[in-house]
Amino acid sequence: MESRVDQDGYFRNANATHEYYELYKKTLKEQKGAAGNWTQIGPFGAPDGGGSGRTNCIAFHPTNSSIILVGAASGGLWRSVNGGSSWTTNTDGLENLGISDIEFSPSNPNIVYAATGDRDAGDTYSIGIIKSIDGGLTWQTTGLSYTPDAKRRIYKILVHPQNDSILYIASSLGLRKSTDRGDTWTLIRAGSFIDMKFKPNDPNTIYAATATIIIKTVDEGQTWTTLSIPMVSASRRLLIGVTAANPNIIYVVSVKSSDNGFNGLYRSTDAGATFTLRASSPNVLGWASNGSDSGGQGWYDLGLGVSQTNENLLFIGGINIWKSINGGTNWTLSGHWTASGAPYVHADIHEIKFSPHNANTVWACTDGGLSVSTANGANWIEKNSGLSIAQIYRIGGSAQNATKILSGWQDNGTNLNNANDWSRVLGGDGMECIIDYSNQNYMYGSLYYGEIKRSTNGGASWTEISNSITEEGAWVTPYLQDPNTAATLYAGYKNVYKTTNRGNSWTKISTFGTTLNINALAVSKSNSNIIVAANDSYLWKTTDGGTNWTNITSVSFGVGNITSIAIQPHQS
């Protein structure tokens, strides 16, 4: 959030985008045409069959197995009419493209509700609950609406299985209930709640979770009791699992508050009256294929899927996917982010759900899109055709070939487009990227904190060139090519570094210190000795190639961190 606050840590005019959008809509005619001359060049899915972008949630039509809806962290709602073989969207016009949860009405599948915003990472904030009355084709607002500056998160929606007028949500602003299809809402429990489930076959009974407690109601939310579960007070996050195979069973997965690893799986067989610890190892939320490591990312990636026909079959997702066939006592690796010891599944699992139409089919929402197993986790395949949901950090274009573009994606690598043919040339989180303006065979890509790589053969192979720089940069570390000398590059870590041989060696050319990361960098085209760098809200300038630097920060710049710098190309 550092780029959104001023030097004192306060948000300033956080609602400006919302206000501008509302004003802009009022200027539009009722009949709108296609403005501008924009054409999507892709990718329409995932380059080389890999990840397409982050998904948060999935929902299945109650009676038609071909219709599936999926929500992306910042890419909107997507619909499939062929069981996930391909996807299309009609939500590009939504003010907020983050989707945290989707629920069909079981009794009337033409009615669908969606929670906006990004529940796991906060990449987008909620604007409330939206509703479709045509099965997800078009969407409208409900009585629960926020402006983005409220910074709300909605984690879960429940729709009463027999009465589609009754809804519940779990949110950062408490548990809320509507009895009129979302037109009005009542607070039924204060607090910040991150999960909620009906007891199967008994919608009067609801379980809800904060980060550290599970509560239960048996009277549709009028009164609540706290369930007694050992050790969950040491949790960073809790998720609830229930199964129609045995409505009295409750599973609770707990994330360890100290390191975001696996704190334990608990089970109740008496609707929450008592719980027992089923397992606290292996570390099913870590990176290792044998679960022997510690820690994890449970604050961000966490999924719990329980079979609705087999009370002892369940999956937990963290970085990888693990499976138990005996009610959580023992665990085996089902999917791994490097295919080490199990079939490949993209890293970082955000939801796991069994299909209501096939008991052996289970879906996973990941940082790479969607994966599905049709054999209870024995095999996994990706279902990303048509999903254009990448969170793109940076784009680099070729000066020699307008159809050649390099782009860096969150958790889905650096991707090269060559005449609308997309390929993944680097993995991990793709950051700043450059195609050499003098020779397009030279390319530069990077990962987080300033790991810069170079290709000399058009992206076929890569070599790290930042090894000699001992400083760690920002999450997206800025670097750029000198506009006058192609072999010269500059990179901003805690200080500015310069190479005159395309990264074979680097020289530090500033002495800003070792505290603040450089977050923006520019070199003048009219005079390469003029370089401007920004760390947080401070702006620095050199006119002699880095020998001397002057702090040119001025109150006239306003408030907040500097995120980008442009120097007029024909003046120094």
Side-chain angles (χ1 to χ4, degrees), residues 368-554:
L370 292 166
S371 289
V372 62
S373 172
T374 57
N376 282 328
N379 63 340
W380 293 91
I381 58 173
E382 297 203 334
K383 290 284 191 177
N384 293 321
S385 179
L387 279 179
S388 298
I389 57 173
Q391 295 174 291
I392 299 177
Y393 283 111
R394 297 289 187 269
I395 298 174
S398 169
Q400 301 167 330
N401 184 347
T403 65
K404 184 170 287 188
I405 301 167
L406 200 61
S407 58
W409 298 11
Q410 185 270 336
D411 213 15
N412 285 280
T414 297
N415 298 277
L416 175 65
N417 175 42
N418 191 0
N420 292 333
D421 180 21
W422 287 86
S423 60
R424 181 148 299 154
V425 294
L426 286 173
D429 283 276
M431 303 292 180
E432 183 66 78
C433 44
I434 298 170
I435 299 177
D436 190 306
Y437 59 77
S438 68
N439 183 345
Q440 62 182 349
N441 285 321
Y442 281 96
M443 297 180 179
Y444 302 88
S446 60
L447 283 77
Y448 41 76
Y449 303 130
E451 182 181 329
I452 305 174
K453 300 192 176 190
R454 180 189 66 201
S455 175
T456 61
N457 52 15
S461 60
W462 296 79
T463 302
E464 185 177 348
I465 59 173
S466 56
N467 313 58
S468 61
I469 300 174
T470 58
E471 294 178 356
E472 184 177 271
W475 177 254
V476 183
T477 296
Y479 66 96
L480 51 85
Q481 191 176 16
D482 189 292
N484 301 299
T485 306
T488 297
L489 284 83
Y490 306 86
Y493 292 81
K494 300 292 188 297
N495 290 280
V496 179
Y497 287 77
K498 177 181 180 180
T499 176
T500 58
N501 50 24
R502 290 192 167 94
N504 291 331
S505 60
W506 296 84
T507 302
K508 185 167 73 171
I509 61 170
S510 77
T511 55
F512 298 151
T514 59
T515 303
L516 299 177
N517 288 319
I518 293 173
N519 42 293
L521 192 63
V523 178
S524 172
K525 185 175 183 180
S526 62
N527 182 352
S528 295
N529 285 319
I530 298 175
I531 307 169
V532 181
N535 50 11
D536 285 359
S537 58
Y538 301 101
L539 197 63
W540 300 84
K541 179 180 179 180
T542 178
T543 58
D544 54 16
T547 302
N548 299 285
W549 291 84
T550 303
N551 186 337
I552 60 171
T553 308
S554 167

Side-chain angles (χ1 to χ4, degrees), residues 247-268:
N248 287 318
I249 282 185
I250 310 170
Y251 288 102
V252 176
V253 61
S254 169
V255 175
K256 193 179 296 184
S257 59
S258 58
D259 62 7
N260 293 297
F262 185 45
N263 193 44
L265 179 85
Y266 299 85
R267 186 175 76 168
S268 171

Side-chain angles (χ1 to χ4, degrees), residues 288-307:
S289 59
N290 62 2
S292 61
D293 58 350
S294 60
Q297 300 175 165
W299 67 271
Y300 168 71
D301 45 41
L302 187 66
L304 173 61
V306 185
S307 168

Side-chain angles (χ1 to χ4, degrees), residues 146-338:
Y146 304 123
T147 53
D149 65 327
K151 295 184 270 296
R152 305 299 184 201
R153 296 193 195 188
I154 301 176
Y155 292 87
K156 187 67 182 173
I157 308 169
L158 295 182
V159 184
H160 194 287
Q162 287 92 40
N163 184 348
D164 59 41
S165 296
I166 299 177
L167 317 173
Y168 300 87
I169 64 162
S171 75
S172 60
L173 208 60
L175 300 176
R176 294 179 179 269
K177 179 180 180 179
S178 173
T179 58
D180 53 14
R181 294 188 176 94
D183 289 340
T184 59
W185 295 82
T186 302
L187 179 68
I188 58 175
R189 179 72 178 229
S192 182
F193 288 86
I194 56 181
D195 197 16
M196 183 170 50
K197 295 288 191 302
F198 282 127
K199 181 182 179 182
N201 305 323
D202 179 12
N204 294 328
T205 300
I206 304 170
Y207 311 106
T210 70
T212 56
I213 64 169
I214 305 287
I215 62 174
K216 174 184 177 180
T217 179
V218 295
D219 52 17
E220 299 180 296
Q222 296 182 57
T223 59
W224 297 86
T225 57
T226 301
L227 304 184
S228 177
I229 309 176
M231 292 300 293
V232 296
S233 60
S235 294
R236 172 75 179 269
R237 184 175 177 184
L238 300 172
L239 281 188
I240 305 167
V242 295
T243 173
N246 185 342
N248 287 318
I249 282 185
I250 310 170
Y251 288 102
V252 176
V253 61
S254 169
V255 175
K256 193 179 296 184
S257 59
S258 58
D259 62 7
N260 293 297
F262 185 45
N263 193 44
L265 179 85
Y266 299 85
R267 186 175 76 168
S268 171
T269 58
D270 50 19
T274 60
F275 281 85
T276 57
L277 176 65
R278 302 292 288 179
S280 58
S281 65
N283 180 23
V284 296
L285 300 184
W287 294 264
S289 59
N290 62 2
S292 61
D293 58 350
S294 60
Q297 300 175 165
W299 67 271
Y300 168 71
D301 45 41
L302 187 66
L304 173 61
V306 185
S307 168
Q308 298 303 294
T309 60
N310 181 348
E311 65 187 71
N312 291 308
L313 175 60
L314 60 155
F315 293 85
I316 287 179
I319 296 162
N320 304 301
I321 297 178
W322 292 75
K323 174 183 176 181
S324 174
I325 60 174
N326 59 4
T329 300
N330 301 105
W331 293 88
T332 58
L333 187 66
S334 175
H336 193 267
W337 66 294
T338 65

